[in-house]
Amino acid sequence: MSAQMKKALAVFTIIIIVLGWAITIWGAGPVPAIKDKIKLGLDIEGGVYVVMEAKTDATGDNLRKLMEQTQAVIEQRVNQMGLSEPIVTIEGQKRIRVELPGADDADEAIKQIGRTAQLQFFLADGTKVLDGSMVKDAGITTDKENGGYAVSLEFNKAGTEAFAQATQKAMSGAVQPQMEGVNARAIAIVLDNQIISAPVVNSVIQNGQAIITGGTGGFPQDEATNLSALIRGGSLPVALEEVNTSTQSATIGYNAFEESVIAGIIAIFLILFIMLAFYGIMGVAADIALLLYVILVLWAMGLMGTVLTLPGIGGFIISVGMAVDANVIIFTRIREEIATGKTVRVAVHSGFRRALNTIIDSHCTTIIASIVLYQLGTGPVKGFAITLLLGIIASLFTATLVTQLFLTLTSESKRWSAKKYYGMNEDNTPKHYIKKQFHFIKHRKIYYIVAACIILSGLIVGGIRGYNYGIDFTGGTMMQFNMEKQVDLSKVESSLKTVGIDASELIYSGANNSEIIIKTTASLDNADRNKVITQFNKDFGITEKNVVSVEQFGPSVGKDLRANAVKAVVISCIAMLIYINFRFEWKFGVAAIAGVLHDVLTVIALYGMFHVTINNPFIAGVLTVLGYSTNDTIVIFDRIRENLGIMKKKQLEELIDYSINETLGRSIMTSSTVLIVLIPMFILASNSIREFMLPLFIGVIVGTLSSIFMCSPIYYELAKGSDGSKYKGKKSKKSY
């Protein structure tokens, strides 16, 4: 690419960034501002979500079809409730998750969602001729006459007779239309008092099989599929049981949202400043790439219809911190190339080329963790995972293309190509670097002992005292009330006992202790929760409007959550092991997984030692740490692999020490940046965000230490105990 084209592309990129930020903040014409484009989760906007479990023994394809029918019926129902963008999704195998932004009555929502579908067939004069119990099956078929698709109906014996009589009466011309918009010769199909189809009868149907066509062109496939599912749902109702409920007030959610946004803005400005302070002209390029990165992630979320939750904001901020890593790897490589005596222009080119494999390898492991988290997580955890995943992909794009473009231009400029702008002296030595060479392998056993003591003591304390599991793990209910003044907790406890409820925990919350949080190990259904509200109305004069939030988890939810947590860690480890074995060799893979297990066990041990609550956000935090820790480890392993190919005469211990020391500055910088991002989130954000931040905060520190003091020494143990490495004596692959 010519210099003029590069300059034009750079100017175009700057224009895109400026316009992008303007549109993101204020909008432009038909394009709304991003705040109006991104959907807000219930924890921000307020509303109700309900998870219902189907009580059925169906399995395989039959279960899948039954759940799709149930989903279609519920979607039809909640769309009639007049709420803004309700969301109905199948969660797992037997559960339906319904999110109702703007709803404030969980009891009414559950009644609306859970009642059995009422499917009925009427003549145009309003005469009921048969109901859903008489429908044997409904499906889709091709419409050979009109094109497109049609819906096929099959009735049972009673339905066949009733439908034959109905079609005969419709064809007779004696029916006087009373139903609005229904043809005199039509039979209206009504679900929950709503007409979903009104096909006109063309002949008397006596064999119990009918076809509903969509006229010229037929039905589109999705419309035919939806209609058939609604009809089948009426004939195959499934009982639904509430297993998880949450009611969230918009006030507490929006306050938490504002705090999280402020923390995010502070975190981004901190990163911009740090990159400028430590990397000079390279930091300018990184900041330009970061500004584009933020726009890309936000608009990707908006266009994909991603629901932004408070944990999702946390995931976004973490991904910003991790995006710095790719730039730090590149800048470190460029400085190393200058140190060998190359010109800045050549160093920039070769530095990018040599950094590319490392960036791809390190980011892919975090992508694996994000995908597993998305597949096995629920609700807010999915939002956290998708935001993190989008952030990682965007960082790959901006670091490898945008940063490279601007650094290439500066390196070719007479004014900005001086080595001082790249953190180097004119004699090719770094301006700031750690001169001391640390001997990590020599002292490895000290860290083994320290790590073993921390893990064993934490697990023993947690095992004896018991871990502090949240209600989402154990099952139970959490209710938060605004009492409008501080009340005596003993009086609250007495009110609860009046309605037969024992609270496992009662604590104050809010300004001046005017709110109380009630936790029970029993999973309270709607009736029990309404008893509490009624009793509180008698004793304290509060109403349902004083309910700030409600969380209810059935025992089966907690059991599945624990199982999914273990499954997520195992699947992530296996996937990473396969990837690392493919990209490196098995010794590196085993060492990396050993580091992951060390990190997970250390976090669990610390939670057991200090009795910190283990809940759903804890799983997201641990899995993110899992990906981050492997990211850091891969960078060091990549350098070891490279040095094995070019430092043939060095002893393995000396070579590994040298490789760790080479990447030490990068490890410290990246980890420090992520921690700096976490700090404003931890201080300013809500409790729900802190629940995500705490395991991340601990995990980043533990993960950085393990990549240096645990994984590399374990690789040394494996390599020295066998025939060494397959890279020893070989020239590294094309990047090196």
Side-chain angles (χ1 to χ4, degrees), residues 151-461:
V151 176
S152 60
L153 296 178
E154 184 178 355
F155 300 95
N156 61 18
K157 185 176 180 180
T160 299
E161 294 176 1
F163 196 68
Q165 293 174 10
T167 54
Q168 186 172 20
K169 190 170 183 180
M171 287 290 293
S172 68
V175 177
Q176 297 298 317
Q178 299 293 323
M179 301 178 72
E180 185 177 351
V182 177
N183 187 286
R185 290 197 299 117
I187 294 180
I189 305 173
V190 179
L191 180 66
D192 292 340
N193 300 316
Q194 174 104 6
I195 298 174
I196 59 174
S197 183
V200 175
V201 177
N202 294 320
S203 62
V204 177
I205 300 173
Q206 297 179 327
N207 62 357
Q209 295 181 340
I211 298 292
I212 302 174
T213 62
T216 305
F219 286 115
Q221 185 175 8
D222 57 346
E223 190 176 330
T225 300
N226 185 57
L227 178 58
S228 65
L230 289 172
I231 295 172
R232 282 198 310 271
S235 61
L236 295 172
V238 59
L240 295 173
E241 180 181 74
E242 171 199 359
V243 294
N244 184 198
T245 305
S246 173
T247 304
Q248 181 75 57
S249 74
T251 303
I252 190 172
Y254 196 76
N255 289 340
F257 175 62
E258 286 184 320
E259 291 167 352
S260 300
V261 169
I262 292 170
I265 292 170
I266 292 172
I268 290 173
F269 273 103
L270 280 173
I271 291 177
L272 294 173
F273 174 76
I274 289 169
M275 297 306 288
L276 282 174
F278 282 87
Y279 293 102
I281 196 70
M282 294 190 291
V284 174
D287 286 350
I288 292 171
L290 185 60
L291 290 171
L292 178 61
Y293 160 87
V294 173
I295 297 172
L296 290 176
V297 176
L298 290 176
W299 280 99
M301 292 175 63
L303 294 174
M304 290 174 61
T306 304
V307 178
L308 182 64
T309 61
L310 293 176
I313 295 172
F316 172 67
I317 301 305
I318 290 299
S319 71
V320 171
M322 293 181 69
V324 174
D325 183 51
N327 285 291
V328 173
I329 291 172
I330 292 166
F331 300 161
T332 303
R333 283 293 194 181
I334 291 173
R335 286 177 174 176
E336 288 174 359
E337 294 297 297
I338 295 174
T340 64
K342 294 177 181 176
T343 64
V344 170
R345 179 180 178 183
V346 174
V348 167
H349 176 74
S350 57
F352 267 98
R353 182 170 54 84
R354 298 183 72 189
L356 187 59
N357 272 359
T358 306
I359 293 170
I360 292 173
D361 285 335
S362 62
H363 280 60
C364 280
T365 52
T366 312
I367 288 173
I368 289 170
S370 300
I371 292 172
V372 173
L373 186 61
Y374 181 80
Q375 291 297 325
L376 297 179
T378 58
V381 176
K382 280 185 179 289
F384 179 78
I386 192 64
T387 308
L388 183 62
L389 183 60
L390 288 172
I392 295 167
I393 295 171
S395 75
L396 280 170
F397 170 76
T398 54
T400 56
L401 295 179
V402 180
T403 304
Q404 182 176 16
L405 171 65
F406 283 91
L407 276 187
T408 301
L409 282 174
T410 57
S411 68
E412 295 172 352
S413 163
K414 290 182 179 180
R415 182 177 180 181
W416 301 108
S417 59
K419 294 175 183 177
K420 64 180 180 180
Y421 295 125
Y422 296 81
M424 303 293 289
N425 297 313
E426 288 304 317
D427 62 355
N428 298 328
T429 59
K431 286 185 176 181
H432 309 286
Y433 69 101
I434 302 172
K435 295 181 180 180
K436 182 176 175 60
Q437 292 293 300
F438 298 98
H439 301 287
F440 299 101
I441 302 301
K442 180 180 179 180
H443 303 294
R444 66 191 183 280
K445 292 181 181 177
I446 296 175
Y447 188 77
Y448 292 165
I449 294 169
V450 171
C453 289
I454 293 173
I455 291 171
L456 288 174
S457 58
L459 294 178
I460 290 170
V461 170

Side-chain angles (χ1 to χ4, degrees), residues 48 54 86 223 237 251 416 476 508 534 603 668:
V48 172
E223 190 176 330
T251 303
W416 301 108
Y508 286 118
T534 301
V603 174
I668 294 172

Side-chain angles (χ1 to χ4, degrees), residues 423-654:
M424 303 293 289
N425 297 313
E426 288 304 317
D427 62 355
N428 298 328
T429 59
K431 286 185 176 181
H432 309 286
Y433 69 101
I434 302 172
K435 295 181 180 180
K436 182 176 175 60
Q437 292 293 300
F438 298 98
H439 301 287
F440 299 101
I441 302 301
K442 180 180 179 180
H443 303 294
R444 66 191 183 280
K445 292 181 181 177
I446 296 175
Y447 188 77
Y448 292 165
I449 294 169
V450 171
C453 289
I454 293 173
I455 291 171
L456 288 174
S457 58
L459 294 178
I460 290 170
V461 170
I464 293 174
R465 182 174 57 182
Y467 281 93
N468 182 13
Y469 292 109
I471 61 170
D472 41 2
F473 263 77
T474 61
T477 303
M478 185 282 292
M479 294 179 287
Q480 185 172 353
F481 291 89
N482 180 6
M483 308 299 285
E484 299 181 352
K485 63 181 179 179
Q486 184 172 342
V487 297
D488 192 330
L489 292 181
S490 62
K491 293 181 179 179
V492 176
E493 188 174 11
S494 176
S495 291
L496 292 172
K497 286 183 177 179
T498 302
V499 292
I501 293 173
D502 290 322
S504 60
E505 188 176 4
L506 280 173
I507 57 175
Y508 286 118
S509 178
N512 302 318
N513 291 334
S514 60
E515 296 179 357
I516 58 167
I517 296 175
I518 303 166
K519 293 183 180 180
T520 70
T521 54
S523 181
L524 307 180
D525 60 19
N526 275 306
D528 291 326
R529 296 196 295 268
N530 286 333
K531 287 179 184 177
V532 173
I533 295 171
T534 301
Q535 189 64 39
F536 277 15
N537 180 255
K538 292 179 182 177
D539 296 340
F540 307 108
I542 66 170
T543 66
E544 191 168 315
K545 292 181 179 179
N546 294 83
V547 178
V548 177
S549 65
V550 175
E551 291 278 349
Q552 187 271 131
F553 292 85
S556 63
V557 174
K559 183 179 178 182
D560 289 351
L561 192 60
R562 292 192 296 272
N564 282 347
V566 174
K567 191 187 298 182
V569 172
V570 171
I571 292 173
S572 295
C573 286
I574 292 172
M576 289 180 186
L577 183 60
I578 292 171
Y579 180 82
I580 295 170
N581 188 56
F582 172 73
R583 290 290 294 154
F584 293 80
E585 61 173 328
W586 70 268
K587 299 182 190 70
F588 285 112
V590 171
I593 297 307
V596 165
L597 295 177
H598 162 274
D599 298 343
V600 172
L601 289 174
T602 302
V603 174
I604 292 173
L606 291 173
Y607 268 61
M609 192 179 297
F610 297 104
H611 210 54
V612 182
T613 304
I614 295 177
N615 49 18
N616 205 349
F618 168 82
I619 299 172
V622 165
L623 285 177
T624 306
V625 166
L626 184 149
Y628 176 81
S629 172
T630 310
N631 176 310
D632 203 37
T633 300
I634 290 297
V635 173
I636 298 174
F637 281 177
D638 196 81
R639 186 58 64 95
I640 293 173
R641 177 177 65 176
E642 176 184 354
N643 288 336
L644 283 167
I646 60 179
M647 297 180 177
K648 304 179 180 65
K649 294 183 180 180
K650 276 188 181 289
Q651 293 295 316
L652 186 60
E653 178 178 337
E654 184 183 1

